[in-house]
Amino acid sequence: MQVARETTGGVAPPAAASQTGARRVRTLIGATPGERAVTALGLVTGVCMLVTIWAILVAAPVDVVQGMPFRIFYFHVPVAWVTFLAFFIVFVASVAYLWRRDERWDWMARAAAEVGTIFTTVTLITGSLWGRTIWGTWWTWDPRLTTTLILWFIYVGYLMLRSYTGRTASGARTAAVLGIVGFVDVPIDYLSVTWWRSLHPPTTYVQSGLPASAAGTLMFSLFTFTLLFSLLLVLAYQLQRVQTGAEKLRGQAEG
Amino acid sequence: MGYLVVAFAAVWIGIAGYLGWLALRLRGARAELAAVSELVRESSAEKS
Amino acid sequence: MSDTNMTRMTTRVNTTEISPPGVGGDGALGTASAFARQVMAIVAKDLRSELRTKQTWSAMALFALLVLVVFNFAFDLRVENTAAVAPGVLWVAFVFASILGLGRTVAAEHDQGPLDRLLLCPVNRTVVYFAKLIGNVLFIGVVEVVAVPIFAIIYNVPVALGGLVPVVVLGTIGVAAVGTLFAAMAANTRARELLLPVLIFPLLVPVVIAAVRATSALIVPVARDAPWVGLLAAFDVIFLSISAVAFEYVVED
């Protein structure tokens, strides 16, 4: 849990002898209730993470046909779910920003886009690994894979747009429009790719019902990854807030 | 089979690395904010 | 564009200032005709300035032809694979040329300032969007009129003209609908020429798939194919309505 602790302490805590026990605790878990909440979230996420890794690797039952590679499934599906959640948040925050013009929605959209892009990358990698074991090929132009790839391109473009515009109101509005249009584009993409592929043999998916222990592992994994996502989102949001605050203050000092 | 283990480890390291990078950037930004606000306080103290 | 949408958009136009008395200002019909008149005025202005220089048109057309020729080498076309490759080549050429033109038109607006001046006019942003859209459709259309016959000759494709026209028109509207919005978005940034293709290609995927499929169905008819022309029209409606609403936020200030 070293990482979770580090995130909350504003100053690096050198174990100075003069530091009292209470101060040391404060620098470790955070001084304000908000910082302590983040620390707690980090701790819970870390514990859940370890349990999930154990469950995926040891406890969960393995598909008879697919064998060990089926364990990717418990990892891949939650990550894909988090990806969708992230871009839904980008969409909602973008709409809210254009409606309310509150900077905080803009930070939220930007944070969710950044974390979502990371998770989309993981989705693509794990999906590709799974495809290698099931279909015997790293990549196939299956509708879900193709749509996820296009989604990845859209949101990498979103992050590029943000880095090119800087923290201006017009940049925020432009990014919000891209966040909305990009999200609306996803189902259309899926639809068109499905029809495009309709002439080719359909890809077979694992459609059999899951046994209870497998469903339990999947559910717990979903929960854990949602926790991890919220932790990352909170940190990315704070980063946006602090960076914007510093930039504004610098502008005041110079101007 | 081997590549699965490697990839699993790589993805986890990647996620942990992102978390660490995020934390590092946040710490840097906080330090910058503190430095800038210190600067502002000093300059306003000089004026008065 | 739907009628209700248009009337809602134009209610904010100060009709008394821009339309002669007695024509606009009263009722949906007057507002709609005022809308059309404003759009046409801006389109005519853009066309006049382009006709003077012809820079954009010539560059776009030449580029489209170059893409057609280069792909011919790249794929080593033979009779048996022409039907599979040629429609894709045609649409890639159109989309590339469109992006070239889109980047140019908005860049020209920004360098010389007319977009800012245009936005100072008591004209609704939606008017500006549709004017720019029509201008872009015309620009791309000219390129297509040049490129399609040459495409038919060098790829040795029997182009059924009657069937190709609606596909090309619908595809062009789709590309221009997204393209006009994104060109304005990219113009807000420091690196607009760099950013425009990166942003626009992922979003154009549905339009490109539908247009390519519809075109290849004209060359080699496919049994039980999806209704691609209808889908293309549906994508156009979706992209047009979203872009028309979103444009307002992009060009604000």
Side-chain angles (χ1 to χ4, degrees), chain A residues 135-179:
Chain A
W135 304 320
T137 169
W138 294 108
W139 186 260
T140 155
W141 293 104
D142 159 83
R144 288 185 218 195
L145 269 71
T146 313
T147 310
T148 312
L149 184 64
I150 294 168
L151 191 70
W152 188 83
F153 277 117
I154 291 175
Y155 287 99
V156 170
Y158 178 94
L159 293 179
M160 281 182 72
L161 178 73
R162 303 238 58 163
S163 74
Y164 279 133
T165 49
R167 289 170 201 278
T168 57
S170 83
R173 283 197 316 269
T174 308
V177 167
L178 182 59

Side-chain angles (χ1 to χ4, degrees), chain A residues 6-7 9-13 239, chain B residues 22-32:
Chain A
E6 278 175 6
T7 57
V11 202
L239 180 67
Chain B
L22 203 57
L24 224 64
R25 280 194 297 167
L26 189 57
R27 181 188 281 190
R30 283 206 171 120
E32 196 199 335

Side-chain angles (χ1 to χ4, degrees), chain A residues 98 101 150 153-154 157 160-161 163-165 170 173-174 177-178 181-182 184-185 188-189 192-193 195-196 199, chain C residues 182 185 188-191 194-195 199 202-203 205-206 209 213 226 228 231 235 238-239 242 246 249-250 252-253:
Chain A
L98 288 185
R101 298 303 162 94
I150 294 168
F153 277 117
I154 291 175
M160 281 182 72
L161 178 73
S163 74
Y164 279 133
T165 49
S170 83
R173 283 197 316 269
T174 308
V177 167
L178 182 59
V181 177
V184 172
D185 193 55
I188 303 173
D189 268 335
S192 60
V193 179
W195 270 317
W196 170 53
L199 299 174
Chain C
F182 275 63
M185 281 168 63
N188 277 348
T189 69
R190 293 196 297 268
L194 221 58
L195 213 49
L199 294 181
L203 282 146
V205 166
I209 288 179
R213 277 313 177 108
W228 287 113
L231 283 175
F235 295 158
I238 294 170
F239 282 130
I242 297 175
Y249 295 103
V250 173
E252 215 171 88
D253 293 341

Side-chain angles (χ1 to χ4, degrees), chain C residues 77-88 155 157 212 215-217 219-220:
Chain C
L77 285 177
R78 293 186 207 86
V79 179
E80 66 268 18
N81 65 6
T82 300
V85 172
Y155 281 80
V157 177
V212 169
T215 311
S216 62
I219 298 172
V220 179

Side-chain angles (χ1 to χ4, degrees), chain A residues 32-71:
Chain A
T32 64
E35 284 174 354
R36 282 187 192 153
V38 176
T39 311
L41 181 62
L43 283 171
V44 173
T45 310
V47 171
C48 287
M49 216 87 260
L50 292 177
V51 175
T52 308
I53 292 176
W54 169 79
I56 290 177
L57 290 182
V58 182
V62 179
D63 188 82
V64 185
V65 186
Q66 295 177 29
M68 288 298 272
F70 185 69
R71 296 194 190 280

